[in-house]
Coordinates of all heavy atoms in Angstrom, one line a residue:
M1 N -38.0 -18.2 -6.4 CA -37.3 -17.7 -7.5 C -37.5 -18.6 -8.7 O -37.3 -19.8 -8.5 CB -35.8 -17.5 -7.2 CG -35.2 -16.4 -7.9 SD -33.4 -16.1 -7.7 CE -33.0 -16.5 -6.0
S2 N -37.7 -18.1 -9.9 CA -37.9 -19.0 -11.0 C -36.6 -19.4 -11.6 O -35.5 -18.8 -11.3 CB -38.8 -18.3 -12.1 OG -38.0 -17.3 -12.7
K3 N -36.6 -20.4 -12.5 CA -35.3 -20.9 -13.1 C -34.8 -20.0 -14.1 O -33.6 -20.0 -14.4 CB -35.6 -22.3 -13.7 CG -35.7 -23.4 -12.8 CD -35.8 -24.7 -13.5 CE -35.8 -25.9 -12.6 NZ -35.8 -27.1 -13.3
N4 N -35.6 -19.1 -14.7 CA -35.1 -18.2 -15.7 C -34.4 -17.0 -15.2 O -33.9 -16.2 -16.0 CB -36.3 -17.7 -16.6 CG -36.9 -18.9 -17.4 OD1 -36.2 -19.8 -17.7 ND2 -38.2 -18.8 -17.7
T5 N -34.4 -16.8 -13.9 CA -33.7 -15.6 -13.3 C -32.5 -16.1 -12.6 O -32.4 -17.2 -12.1 CB -34.6 -14.8 -12.4 OG1 -34.9 -15.7 -11.3 CG2 -35.8 -14.3 -13.1
R6 N -31.5 -15.2 -12.4 CA -30.3 -15.6 -11.7 C -30.0 -14.4 -10.7 O -30.2 -13.3 -11.1 CB -29.1 -15.9 -12.6 CG -28.7 -14.8 -13.4 CD -27.6 -15.2 -14.4 NE -27.2 -14.1 -15.2 CZ -25.9 -13.6 -15.1 NH1 -25.0 -14.1 -14.4 NH2 -25.6 -12.5 -15.9
L7 N -29.5 -14.8 -9.6 CA -29.1 -13.8 -8.6 C -27.8 -13.1 -8.9 O -26.8 -13.8 -9.0 CB -29.1 -14.5 -7.2 CG -28.8 -13.6 -6.0 CD1 -29.9 -12.6 -5.8 CD2 -28.6 -14.4 -4.8
V8 N -27.8 -11.8 -9.0 CA -26.6 -11.1 -9.4 C -26.0 -10.4 -8.1 O -24.8 -10.5 -7.8 CB -26.8 -10.1 -10.5 CG1 -25.6 -9.3 -10.8 CG2 -27.3 -10.8 -11.7
Y9 N -26.9 -9.9 -7.3 CA -26.5 -9.2 -6.1 C -27.5 -9.3 -5.0 O -28.7 -9.2 -5.3 CB -26.2 -7.7 -6.4 CG -25.7 -7.0 -5.2 CD1 -24.3 -7.0 -4.9 CD2 -26.5 -6.2 -4.4 CE1 -23.8 -6.4 -3.8 CE2 -26.0 -5.6 -3.2 CZ -24.7 -5.7 -3.0 OH -24.2 -5.0 -1.9
S10 N -27.0 -9.6 -3.8 CA -27.9 -9.7 -2.7 C -27.3 -8.9 -1.5 O -26.0 -9.0 -1.3 CB -28.2 -11.1 -2.3 OG -28.9 -11.2 -1.1
T11 N -28.0 -8.2 -0.8 CA -27.5 -7.5 0.4 C -26.9 -8.4 1.5 O -26.0 -8.0 2.2 CB -28.5 -6.5 0.9 OG1 -29.7 -7.2 1.3 CG2 -28.8 -5.4 -0.1
D12 N -27.5 -9.6 1.6 CA -27.0 -10.5 2.7 C -25.8 -11.3 2.3 O -25.1 -11.8 3.1 CB -28.2 -11.3 3.2 CG -28.7 -12.3 2.1 OD1 -28.7 -11.9 0.9 OD2 -29.2 -13.3 2.5
Q13 N -25.6 -11.5 1.0 CA -24.5 -12.4 0.6 C -23.4 -11.6 -0.2 O -22.3 -12.2 -0.4 CB -25.0 -13.5 -0.3 CG -25.9 -14.5 0.4 CD -26.4 -15.5 -0.5 OE1 -26.1 -15.6 -1.7 NE2 -27.3 -16.4 0.0
G14 N -23.7 -10.4 -0.7 CA -22.7 -9.7 -1.5 C -22.9 -10.2 -3.0 O -23.9 -10.8 -3.4
R15 N -21.8 -10.0 -3.7 CA -21.8 -10.5 -5.1 C -21.8 -12.0 -5.2 O -21.0 -12.6 -4.5 CB -20.7 -9.8 -5.9 CG -20.9 -8.4 -6.0 CD -19.8 -7.8 -7.0 NE -19.9 -6.4 -7.1 CZ -20.7 -5.7 -7.9 NH1 -21.5 -6.3 -8.7 NH2 -20.7 -4.4 -7.8
V16 N -22.6 -12.5 -6.1 CA -22.6 -14.0 -6.3 C -22.2 -14.2 -7.7 O -22.7 -13.7 -8.7 CB -24.1 -14.5 -6.1 CG1 -24.1 -16.0 -6.3 CG2 -24.5 -14.2 -4.6
K17 N -21.2 -15.1 -7.8 CA -20.7 -15.5 -9.2 C -21.2 -16.9 -9.4 O -21.1 -17.8 -8.6 CB -19.2 -15.4 -9.3 CG -18.6 -14.1 -9.2 CD -17.1 -14.1 -9.4 CE -16.6 -12.7 -9.3 NZ -15.1 -12.7 -9.5
E18 N -21.7 -17.1 -10.6 CA -22.1 -18.5 -11.0 C -20.8 -19.3 -11.4 O -19.9 -18.8 -12.0 CB -23.1 -18.4 -12.2 CG -24.4 -17.9 -11.8 CD -25.4 -18.0 -12.9 OE1 -25.2 -18.8 -13.8 OE2 -26.4 -17.3 -12.8
A19 N -20.9 -20.5 -11.1 CA -19.7 -21.4 -11.4 C -19.7 -21.6 -13.0 O -20.7 -21.8 -13.6 CB -19.9 -22.8 -10.8
T20 N -18.5 -21.4 -13.5 CA -18.4 -21.6 -15.0 C -18.1 -23.0 -15.3 O -17.1 -23.6 -14.7 CB -17.3 -20.7 -15.5 OG1 -16.1 -21.0 -14.8 CG2 -17.6 -19.2 -15.3
A21 N -18.9 -23.6 -16.1 CA -18.7 -25.0 -16.5 C -17.5 -25.0 -17.5 O -17.4 -24.2 -18.4 CB -19.9 -25.5 -17.1
E22 N -16.7 -26.0 -17.4 CA -15.6 -26.2 -18.4 C -16.1 -26.7 -19.7 O -17.0 -27.5 -19.7 CB -14.6 -27.2 -17.8 CG -13.3 -27.2 -18.6 CD -12.2 -28.0 -17.9 OE1 -12.1 -27.9 -16.6 OE2 -11.5 -28.7 -18.6
K23 N -15.6 -26.1 -20.8 CA -16.1 -26.5 -22.1 C -15.8 -27.9 -22.4 O -14.8 -28.5 -22.0 CB -15.4 -25.6 -23.1 CG -15.7 -24.1 -23.0 CD -15.0 -23.3 -24.1 CE -15.3 -21.9 -23.9 NZ -14.6 -21.1 -24.9
A24 N -16.7 -28.5 -23.1 CA -16.6 -29.9 -23.5 C -15.4 -30.1 -24.5 O -15.2 -29.2 -25.4 CB -17.9 -30.4 -24.2
V25 N -14.7 -31.1 -24.3 CA -13.5 -31.3 -25.2 C -13.9 -32.2 -26.4 O -14.5 -33.3 -26.2 CB -12.4 -32.0 -24.4 CG1 -11.2 -32.3 -25.3 CG2 -12.0 -31.1 -23.2
D26 N -13.6 -31.8 -27.6 CA -14.0 -32.6 -28.8 C -12.8 -33.5 -29.0 O -11.7 -33.1 -29.4 CB -14.2 -31.6 -30.0 CG -14.5 -32.4 -31.2 OD1 -15.1 -33.5 -31.1 OD2 -14.2 -31.9 -32.3
S27 N -13.0 -34.8 -28.8 CA -12.0 -35.8 -28.9 C -11.7 -36.2 -30.4 O -10.7 -36.6 -30.7 CB -12.3 -37.0 -28.1 OG -13.5 -37.6 -28.6
G28 N -12.7 -36.0 -31.2 CA -12.6 -36.3 -32.6 C -12.4 -37.8 -32.9 O -12.9 -38.6 -32.1
D29 N -11.6 -38.1 -33.9 CA -11.4 -39.5 -34.3 C -10.0 -40.0 -33.9 O -9.6 -41.1 -34.4 CB -11.7 -39.8 -35.8 CG -10.9 -38.9 -36.7 OD1 -10.1 -38.1 -36.1 OD2 -10.9 -39.1 -37.9
G30 N -9.3 -39.2 -33.2 CA -7.9 -39.6 -32.7 C -6.8 -39.2 -33.7 O -5.7 -39.4 -33.5
I31 N -7.2 -38.5 -34.8 CA -6.2 -38.0 -35.8 C -6.2 -36.5 -35.7 O -7.2 -35.8 -35.8 CB -6.6 -38.5 -37.2 CG1 -6.5 -40.0 -37.2 CG2 -5.6 -37.9 -38.2 CD1 -7.0 -40.6 -38.6
V32 N -5.0 -36.0 -35.5 CA -4.8 -34.5 -35.5 C -4.6 -34.1 -37.0 O -3.8 -34.7 -37.7 CB -3.5 -34.1 -34.7 CG1 -3.3 -32.7 -34.7 CG2 -3.7 -34.6 -33.3
R33 N -5.4 -33.1 -37.4 CA -5.3 -32.6 -38.8 C -4.7 -31.2 -38.8 O -5.0 -30.3 -38.0 CB -6.7 -32.6 -39.4 CG -7.2 -34.0 -39.6 CD -8.5 -34.1 -40.4 NE -8.8 -35.4 -40.8 CZ -9.2 -36.4 -40.0 NH1 -9.4 -36.2 -38.8 NH2 -9.5 -37.6 -40.5
L34 N -3.8 -31.0 -39.8 CA -3.2 -29.7 -40.1 C -3.8 -29.2 -41.3 O -3.6 -29.7 -42.4 CB -1.7 -29.9 -40.2 CG -0.9 -30.5 -39.1 CD1 0.5 -30.7 -39.4 CD2 -1.1 -29.7 -37.8
L35 N -4.5 -28.0 -41.2 CA -5.1 -27.4 -42.3 C -4.5 -26.1 -42.6 O -4.1 -25.3 -41.7 CB -6.6 -27.1 -42.0 CG -7.4 -28.3 -41.5 CD1 -8.7 -27.9 -40.8 CD2 -7.8 -29.2 -42.7
R36 N -4.3 -25.7 -43.9 CA -3.8 -24.4 -44.3 C -4.9 -23.5 -44.6 O -5.8 -23.9 -45.4 CB -2.8 -24.6 -45.4 CG -2.2 -23.3 -45.9 CD -1.2 -23.5 -47.0 NE -0.7 -22.2 -47.5 CZ -1.2 -21.5 -48.4 NH1 -2.4 -21.8 -49.0 NH2 -0.7 -20.3 -48.7
E37 N -4.9 -22.3 -44.1 CA -6.0 -21.4 -44.4 C -5.5 -20.0 -44.6 O -4.6 -19.5 -43.9 CB -7.0 -21.3 -43.2 CG -8.2 -20.5 -43.5 CD -9.2 -20.6 -42.3 OE1 -9.9 -21.6 -42.2 OE2 -9.2 -19.7 -41.5
T38 N -6.0 -19.3 -45.6 CA -5.6 -17.9 -45.9 C -6.8 -17.0 -45.9 O -6.7 -15.8 -46.0 CB -5.0 -17.8 -47.3 OG1 -5.9 -18.3 -48.3 CG2 -3.7 -18.6 -47.4
K39 N -8.0 -17.6 -45.8 CA -9.3 -16.8 -45.9 C -9.3 -15.7 -44.8 O -9.1 -16.0 -43.6 CB -10.4 -17.8 -45.7 CG -11.8 -17.1 -45.9 CD -12.8 -18.2 -45.7 CE -14.2 -17.6 -45.9 NZ -15.2 -18.7 -45.7
G40 N -9.6 -14.5 -45.2 CA -9.7 -13.4 -44.3 C -8.4 -12.9 -43.7 O -8.4 -12.2 -42.7
R41 N -7.3 -13.3 -44.3 CA -5.9 -12.9 -43.7 C -5.1 -12.2 -44.8 O -3.9 -12.2 -44.7 CB -5.2 -14.1 -43.2 CG -6.0 -14.7 -42.0 CD -5.3 -16.0 -41.5 NE -5.9 -16.4 -40.3 CZ -7.0 -17.2 -40.2 NH1 -7.6 -17.6 -41.3 NH2 -7.4 -17.6 -39.0
K42 N -5.7 -11.6 -45.8 CA -5.0 -10.9 -46.8 C -3.9 -11.7 -47.5 O -2.8 -11.3 -47.8 CB -4.4 -9.6 -46.3 CG -5.5 -8.6 -45.8 CD -4.9 -7.4 -45.3 CE -6.0 -6.5 -44.7 NZ -5.4 -5.3 -44.1
G43 N -4.2 -13.0 -47.7 CA -3.3 -13.9 -48.4 C -2.2 -14.5 -47.6 O -1.5 -15.4 -48.0
K44 N -2.1 -14.1 -46.3 CA -1.1 -14.8 -45.4 C -1.7 -16.1 -44.9 O -2.8 -16.2 -44.4 CB -0.8 -13.8 -44.3 CG -0.4 -12.5 -44.7 CD 0.8 -12.0 -44.0 CE 1.1 -10.6 -44.3 NZ 2.2 -10.2 -44.9
G45 N -0.9 -17.1 -45.0 CA -1.3 -18.4 -44.6 C -1.1 -18.7 -43.1 O -0.1 -18.3 -42.6
V46 N -2.0 -19.4 -42.5 CA -1.9 -19.9 -41.2 C -2.2 -21.4 -41.2 O -2.9 -21.9 -42.1 CB -2.8 -19.2 -40.1 CG1 -2.5 -17.8 -40.0 CG2 -4.2 -19.4 -40.4
T47 N -1.7 -22.1 -40.2 CA -2.0 -23.5 -40.1 C -2.9 -23.7 -38.9 O -2.6 -23.3 -37.8 CB -0.7 -24.3 -39.9 OG1 0.2 -24.1 -41.0 CG2 -1.0 -25.8 -39.8
L48 N -4.0 -24.4 -39.2 CA -5.0 -24.7 -38.1 C -4.8 -26.2 -37.7 O -4.7 -27.1 -38.5 CB -6.4 -24.6 -38.7 CG -6.8 -23.2 -39.3 CD1 -8.2 -23.3 -39.8 CD2 -6.7 -22.2 -38.2
I49 N -4.7 -26.4 -36.4 CA -4.5 -27.7 -35.8 C -5.7 -28.1 -35.1 O -6.1 -27.5 -34.1 CB -3.3 -27.7 -34.9 CG1 -2.0 -27.2 -35.6 CG2 -3.1 -29.1 -34.3 CD1 -0.8 -27.0 -34.7
T50 N -6.4 -29.1 -35.7 CA -7.7 -29.6 -35.1 C -7.6 -31.0 -34.7 O -6.7 -31.8 -35.1 CB -8.8 -29.4 -36.2 OG1 -8.5 -30.3 -37.3 CG2 -9.0 -28.0 -36.7
G51 N -8.6 -31.4 -33.9 CA -8.7 -32.8 -33.4 C -7.8 -33.2 -32.3 O -7.5 -34.4 -32.2
L52 N -7.3 -32.3 -31.5 CA -6.4 -32.6 -30.5 C -7.1 -33.3 -29.3 O -6.5 -34.2 -28.7 CB -5.6 -31.3 -30.0 CG -4.6 -30.8 -31.0 CD1 -4.2 -29.4 -30.6 CD2 -3.4 -31.7 -31.0
G53 N -8.3 -32.8 -28.9 CA -9.0 -33.4 -27.8 C -8.3 -33.2 -26.5 O -8.3 -34.0 -25.6
L54 N -7.7 -32.0 -26.3 CA -7.1 -31.6 -25.0 C -7.9 -30.6 -24.3 O -8.7 -29.9 -24.9 CB -5.7 -31.0 -25.3 CG -4.7 -31.9 -26.0 CD1 -3.4 -31.1 -26.4 CD2 -4.3 -33.1 -25.2
K55 N -7.7 -30.5 -23.0 CA -8.4 -29.5 -22.2 C -7.7 -28.2 -22.4 O -6.6 -28.1 -23.0 CB -8.3 -29.9 -20.7 CG -9.1 -31.1 -20.4 CD -9.1 -31.5 -18.9 CE -9.9 -32.7 -18.7 NZ -9.7 -33.3 -17.4
E56 N -8.3 -27.1 -21.9 CA -7.9 -25.7 -22.2 C -6.4 -25.5 -21.8 O -5.7 -24.9 -22.5 CB -8.8 -24.8 -21.5 CG -8.6 -23.3 -21.9 CD -9.1 -23.0 -23.3 OE1 -10.0 -23.7 -23.8 OE2 -8.6 -22.1 -23.9
A57 N -6.1 -25.9 -20.6 CA -4.7 -25.7 -20.1 C -3.7 -26.4 -20.9 O -2.6 -25.9 -21.3 CB -4.6 -26.1 -18.6
E58 N -4.0 -27.7 -21.3 CA -3.1 -28.5 -22.1 C -2.9 -27.9 -23.5 O -1.9 -27.9 -24.1 CB -3.5 -29.9 -22.1 CG -3.6 -30.6 -20.8 CD -4.3 -32.0 -20.8 OE1 -5.2 -32.1 -21.7 OE2 -4.0 -32.8 -20.0
L59 N -4.0 -27.4 -24.0 CA -4.0 -26.8 -25.3 C -3.2 -25.6 -25.4 O -2.4 -25.4 -26.3 CB -5.5 -26.4 -25.7 CG -5.9 -26.3 -27.2 CD1 -5.6 -27.7 -27.9 CD2 -7.3 -25.9 -27.3
K60 N -3.3 -24.7 -24.3 CA -2.4 -23.5 -24.2 C -0.9 -23.9 -24.2 O -0.1 -23.2 -24.8 CB -2.8 -22.7 -23.0 CG -4.1 -21.9 -23.2 CD -4.3 -21.0 -22.0 CE -5.6 -20.2 -22.1 NZ -5.9 -19.4 -21.0
A61 N -0.6 -24.9 -23.4 CA 0.8 -25.3 -23.2 C 1.3 -25.8 -24.5 O 2.5 -25.5 -24.9 CB 0.9 -26.4 -22.1
L62 N 0.6 -26.6 -25.2 CA 1.0 -27.2 -26.5 C 1.2 -26.0 -27.6 O 2.2 -26.0 -28.3 CB 0.0 -28.2 -27.1 CG 0.4 -28.8 -28.4 CD1 1.7 -29.6 -28.3 CD2 -0.7 -29.8 -28.9
A63 N 0.2 -25.1 -27.6 CA 0.3 -24.0 -28.5 C 1.6 -23.1 -28.3 O 2.3 -22.8 -29.2 CB -0.9 -23.1 -28.4
K64 N 1.8 -22.9 -27.0 CA 3.0 -22.1 -26.6 C 4.3 -22.8 -27.1 O 5.2 -22.2 -27.7 CB 3.1 -21.9 -25.1 CG 4.2 -21.1 -24.7 CD 4.2 -20.8 -23.2 CE 5.4 -20.0 -22.8 NZ 5.3 -19.6 -21.4
K65 N 4.4 -24.1 -26.9 CA 5.5 -24.9 -27.3 C 5.7 -24.9 -28.8 O 6.9 -24.7 -29.3 CB 5.4 -26.3 -26.8 CG 6.6 -27.2 -27.0 CD 6.4 -28.5 -26.4 CE 7.7 -29.3 -26.5 NZ 7.6 -30.7 -25.9
L66 N 4.6 -25.1 -29.5 CA 4.7 -25.1 -31.0 C 5.1 -23.7 -31.5 O 6.0 -23.6 -32.5 CB 3.4 -25.5 -31.6 CG 3.0 -26.9 -31.4 CD1 1.6 -27.2 -31.9 CD2 4.0 -27.9 -32.0
K67 N 4.6 -22.6 -31.0 CA 4.9 -21.3 -31.4 C 6.4 -21.0 -31.1 O 7.1 -20.4 -32.0 CB 4.1 -20.2 -30.7 CG 2.6 -20.3 -31.1 CD 1.8 -19.1 -30.6 CE 1.7 -19.2 -29.1 NZ 0.8 -18.1 -28.6
Q68 N 6.9 -21.4 -30.0 CA 8.3 -21.2 -29.7 C 9.2 -22.0 -30.6 O 10.3 -21.4 -31.1 CB 8.6 -21.6 -28.2 CG 8.1 -20.6 -27.2 CD 8.3 -21.1 -25.8 OE1 8.6 -22.2 -25.5 NE2 8.2 -20.2 -24.8
Q69 N 8.9 -23.2 -30.9 CA 9.8 -24.0 -31.7 C 9.8 -23.6 -33.2 O 10.7 -23.9 -33.9 CB 9.4 -25.5 -31.5 CG 9.8 -26.0 -30.2 CD 9.4 -27.5 -30.0 OE1 8.7 -28.1 -30.8 NE2 10.0 -28.1 -28.9
C70 N 8.7 -23.0 -33.6 CA 8.6 -22.5 -35.0 C 9.0 -21.1 -35.1 O 9.2 -20.6 -36.2 CB 7.2 -22.7 -35.5 SG 6.7 -24.4 -35.8
G71 N 9.1 -20.4 -34.0 CA 9.5 -19.0 -34.0 C 8.4 -18.0 -34.6 O 8.8 -17.1 -35.3
V72 N 7.2 -18.4 -34.4 CA 6.1 -17.6 -35.0 C 5.0 -17.3 -33.9 O 5.1 -17.8 -32.8 CB 5.4 -18.4 -36.2 CG1 6.4 -18.5 -37.3 CG2 4.9 -19.7 -35.7
G73 N 4.0 -16.6 -34.3 CA 2.9 -16.3 -33.4 C 1.7 -17.3 -33.6 O 1.8 -18.1 -34.4
G74 N 0.7 -17.1 -32.9 CA -0.5 -17.9 -33.0 C -1.5 -17.6 -32.0 O -1.4 -16.7 -31.2
A75 N -2.6 -18.4 -32.0 CA -3.7 -18.2 -31.1 C -4.5 -19.5 -31.0 O -4.3 -20.4 -31.7 CB -4.6 -17.1 -31.6
I76 N -5.4 -19.5 -30.0 CA -6.3 -20.6 -29.8 C -7.7 -20.0 -29.9 O -8.1 -19.1 -29.2 CB -6.1 -21.2 -28.4 CG1 -4.7 -21.8 -28.2 CG2 -7.2 -22.3 -28.2 CD1 -4.4 -22.3 -26.8
K77 N -8.5 -20.6 -30.8 CA -9.9 -20.1 -31.0 C -10.8 -21.4 -31.1 O -10.6 -22.2 -32.0 CB -10.0 -19.3 -32.3 CG -9.2 -18.0 -32.2 CD -9.4 -17.2 -33.5 CE -8.6 -15.9 -33.4 NZ -8.6 -15.2 -34.7
D78 N -11.7 -21.5 -30.2 CA -12.7 -22.5 -30.2 C -12.1 -23.9 -30.2 O -12.5 -24.8 -30.9 CB -13.7 -22.4 -31.3 CG -14.5 -21.1 -31.3 OD1 -14.8 -20.6 -30.2 OD2 -14.8 -20.5 -32.4
G79 N -11.0 -24.1 -29.4 CA -10.4 -25.4 -29.4 C -9.5 -25.8 -30.5 O -9.0 -26.9 -30.7
V80 N -9.2 -24.8 -31.4 CA -8.4 -25.0 -32.6 C -7.2 -24.1 -32.4 O -7.3 -22.9 -32.1 CB -9.1 -24.6 -33.9 CG1 -8.2 -24.7 -35.1 CG2 -10.3 -25.5 -34.1
I81 N -6.0 -24.7 -32.6 CA -4.7 -23.9 -32.5 C -4.4 -23.3 -33.9 O -4.4 -24.0 -34.9 CB -3.6 -24.7 -32.0 CG1 -3.8 -25.3 -30.6 CG2 -2.3 -23.9 -32.0 CD1 -2.7 -26.2 -30.1
E82 N -4.2 -22.0 -33.9 CA -3.8 -21.3 -35.2 C -2.3 -20.9 -35.0 O -2.0 -20.2 -34.1 CB -4.6 -20.0 -35.4 CG -6.1 -20.3 -35.7 CD -6.8 -19.0 -36.0 OE1 -6.2 -17.9 -36.0 OE2 -8.0 -19.1 -36.1
I83 N -1.5 -21.4 -35.9 CA -0.1 -21.1 -35.9 C 0.2 -20.3 -37.2 O -0.1 -20.8 -38.3 CB 0.8 -22.4 -35.9 CG1 0.5 -23.2 -34.7 CG2 2.3 -22.0 -35.9 CD1 0.9 -22.7 -33.3
Q84 N 0.9 -19.2 -37.1 CA 1.1 -18.3 -38.2 C 2.3 -18.7 -39.1 O 3.3 -18.0 -39.1 CB 1.3 -16.9 -37.7 CG 0.1 -16.3 -37.0 CD 0.3 -15.0 -36.4 OE1 1.4 -14.5 -36.2 NE2 -0.8 -14.3 -36.1
T85 N 2.2 -19.9 -39.7 CA 3.2 -20.4 -40.6 C 2.5 -21.3 -41.6 O 1.5 -21.9 -41.3 CB 4.3 -21.1 -39.8 OG1 5.3 -21.5 -40.7 CG2 3.8 -22.3 -39.1
D86 N 3.2 -21.5 -42.7 CA 2.8 -22.4 -43.7 C 3.5 -23.8 -43.6 O 3.3 -24.7 -44.4 CB 3.0 -21.9 -45.2 CG 1.9 -20.8 -45.5 OD1 0.9 -20.8 -44.8 OD2 2.2 -20.0 -46.4
D87 N 4.5 -23.8 -42.8 CA 5.4 -25.0 -42.6 C 4.7 -26.1 -41.9 O 5.0 -26.4 -40.7 CB 6.7 -24.6 -42.0 CG 7.8 -25.6 -42.1 OD1 7.5 -26.6 -42.8 OD2 8.9 -25.4 -41.6
R88 N 3.8 -26.8 -42.6 CA 3.0 -27.9 -41.9 C 3.9 -29.1 -41.7 O 3.6 -29.9 -40.8 CB 1.8 -28.3 -42.8 CG 0.8 -27.1 -42.8 CD -0.4 -27.5 -43.6 NE -0.1 -27.5 -45.0 CZ -1.0 -28.0 -45.9 NH1 -2.2 -28.3 -45.6 NH2 -0.7 -28.0 -47.2
E89 N 4.9 -29.3 -42.5 CA 5.8 -30.5 -42.3 C 6.5 -30.4 -41.0 O 6.7 -31.4 -40.3 CB 6.8 -30.6 -43.5 CG 6.2 -30.9 -44.8 CD 5.5 -32.3 -44.8 OE1 6.0 -33.2 -44.1 OE2 4.5 -32.5 -45.6
K90 N 7.0 -29.2 -40.6 CA 7.7 -29.0 -39.4 C 6.7 -29.3 -38.2 O 7.1 -29.9 -37.2 CB 8.3 -27.6 -39.3 CG 9.1 -27.4 -38.0 CD 9.8 -26.0 -38.1 CE 10.7 -25.9 -36.9 NZ 11.4 -24.6 -36.9
L91 N 5.5 -28.7 -38.3 CA 4.5 -28.9 -37.3 C 4.1 -30.4 -37.1 O 4.0 -30.9 -36.0 CB 3.3 -28.1 -37.6 CG 3.4 -26.6 -37.4 CD1 2.2 -25.9 -37.9 CD2 3.6 -26.3 -35.9
K92 N 4.1 -31.1 -38.3 CA 3.8 -32.5 -38.2 C 4.8 -33.3 -37.5 O 4.5 -34.1 -36.6 CB 3.6 -33.1 -39.7 CG 3.3 -34.5 -39.7 CD 3.1 -35.0 -41.1 CE 2.8 -36.5 -41.1 NZ 2.7 -37.1 -42.4
A93 N 6.1 -33.0 -37.7 CA 7.2 -33.6 -37.0 C 7.2 -33.4 -35.5 O 7.4 -34.3 -34.7 CB 8.5 -33.2 -37.6
L94 N 6.9 -32.1 -35.2 CA 6.8 -31.7 -33.7 C 5.7 -32.4 -33.0 O 5.8 -32.9 -31.9 CB 6.7 -30.2 -33.6 CG 7.9 -29.4 -34.0 CD1 7.5 -27.9 -34.0 CD2 9.1 -29.6 -33.1
L95 N 4.5 -32.5 -33.7 CA 3.4 -33.2 -33.1 C 3.6 -34.7 -33.0 O 3.1 -35.3 -32.0 CB 2.1 -32.9 -33.8 CG 1.6 -31.4 -33.7 CD1 0.5 -31.1 -34.7 CD2 1.2 -31.2 -32.2
E96 N 4.2 -35.3 -34.0 CA 4.5 -36.7 -33.9 C 5.5 -37.1 -32.8 O 5.4 -38.2 -32.2 CB 5.0 -37.2 -35.3 CG 3.9 -37.3 -36.3 CD 4.3 -37.7 -37.7 OE1 5.6 -37.6 -38.0 OE2 3.5 -38.1 -38.5
K97 N 6.4 -36.2 -32.5 CA 7.3 -36.4 -31.3 C 6.5 -36.5 -30.0 O 6.9 -37.1 -29.1 CB 8.3 -35.2 -31.2 CG 9.5 -35.3 -32.1 CD 10.5 -34.2 -31.8 CE 11.6 -34.2 -32.8 NZ 12.5 -33.1 -32.6
Q98 N 5.4 -35.8 -30.0 CA 4.5 -35.8 -28.8 C 3.7 -37.1 -28.7 O 2.9 -37.3 -27.8 CB 3.5 -34.6 -28.9 CG 4.2 -33.3 -28.9 CD 4.7 -32.8 -27.6 OE1 4.1 -33.2 -26.5 NE2 5.8 -32.1 -27.5
G99 N 3.8 -37.9 -29.8 CA 3.1 -39.2 -29.8 C 1.7 -39.1 -30.4 O 0.9 -40.0 -30.1
L100 N 1.4 -38.1 -31.2 CA 0.1 -37.9 -31.8 C 0.1 -38.4 -33.2 O 1.1 -38.4 -33.9 CB -0.3 -36.4 -31.8 CG -0.4 -35.8 -30.4 CD1 -0.5 -34.3 -30.6 CD2 -1.6 -36.3 -29.7
S101 N -1.0 -38.9 -33.7 CA -1.2 -39.3 -35.0 C -1.6 -38.1 -35.8 O -2.7 -37.5 -35.6 CB -2.3 -40.4 -35.1 OG -2.5 -40.7 -36.5
V102 N -0.8 -37.7 -36.8 CA -1.0 -36.4 -37.5 C -1.2 -36.7 -39.0 O -0.6 -37.5 -39.6 CB 0.3 -35.5 -37.3 CG1 0.0 -34.2 -38.0 CG2 0.6 -35.3 -35.9
K103 N -2.1 -35.9 -39.6 CA -2.4 -36.0 -41.0 C -2.5 -34.6 -41.6 O -3.1 -33.7 -41.0 CB -3.8 -36.7 -41.2 CG -4.1 -37.0 -42.6 CD -5.4 -37.8 -42.6 CE -5.7 -38.3 -44.0 NZ -6.9 -39.1 -44.0
I104 N -1.8 -34.3 -42.7 CA -1.9 -33.1 -43.4 C -3.1 -33.1 -44.3 O -3.2 -33.9 -45.2 CB -0.6 -32.8 -44.2 CG1 0.5 -32.6 -43.2 CG2 -0.8 -31.5 -45.0 CD1 1.9 -32.3 -43.9
A105 N -4.1 -32.2 -44.0 CA -5.3 -32.2 -44.7 C -5.4 -30.9 -45.6 O -4.8 -29.9 -45.3 CB -6.5 -32.1 -43.7
G106 N -6.1 -31.0 -46.7 CA -6.3 -29.9 -47.6 C -5.1 -29.8 -48.5 O -4.2 -30.6 -48.6
G107 N -5.1 -28.7 -49.3 CA -4.1 -28.5 -50.4 C -3.0 -27.7 -50.0 O -2.6 -27.3 -49.1

């Protein structure tokens, strides 16, 4: 079998699933940045939290905690947490309680 093909089904083994590799974590420079973005959201602002350097499970737990404490929604996209609020000062205080170095970036 060549390297360019992959086994999807075999009668002797059944379905074969390939192991999924965990995504690489971007550690950044150790500073968590809070960015405000309205692009593509009809003028509604969201705060993007970048530079966390956490694994997927830790990122989900942190996002859930931040959303609950702010009383808003949000999502995780490509290792970046999106929180549906413009209140970056509150997010900064919450992240600093976690022991992270936080910087408000952008205007």
Side-chain angles (χ1 to χ4, degrees):
M1 208 182 326
S2 72
K3 286 186 173 185
N4 293 334
T5 63
R6 62 186 181 116
L7 183 64
V8 178
Y9 183 81
S10 174
T11 56
D12 62 330
Q13 296 178 1
R15 293 190 185 272
V16 178
K17 293 184 181 179
E18 290 186 22
T20 57
E22 193 167 318
K23 295 179 183 175
V25 176
D26 180 28
S27 61
D29 59 355
I31 298 174
V32 177
R33 288 186 169 75
L34 302 177
L35 306 160
R36 182 177 177 271
E37 187 176 279
T38 58
K39 186 177 178 181
R41 294 177 174 87
K42 298 181 183 178
K44 306 228 189 241
V46 298
T47 301
L48 304 177
I49 304 172
T50 60
L52 287 166
L54 299 174
K55 293 183 178 163
E56 191 72 26
E58 296 168 335
L59 205 60
K60 283 183 180 181
L62 179 61
K64 182 177 180 178
K65 185 175 184 178
L66 291 173
K67 291 188 297 183
Q68 286 176 343
Q69 291 180 346
C70 290
V72 296
I76 300 173
K77 295 181 182 173
D78 299 325
V80 176
I81 298 176
E82 294 182 2
I83 304 291
Q84 296 173 345
T85 183
D86 287 337
D87 196 1
R88 293 184 288 174
E89 293 296 329
K90 184 174 184 178
L91 287 170
K92 181 179 179 182
L94 292 171
L95 290 169
E96 285 175 342
K97 280 185 184 177
Q98 301 283 326
L100 299 169
S101 175
V102 182
K103 186 175 189 178
I104 294 179

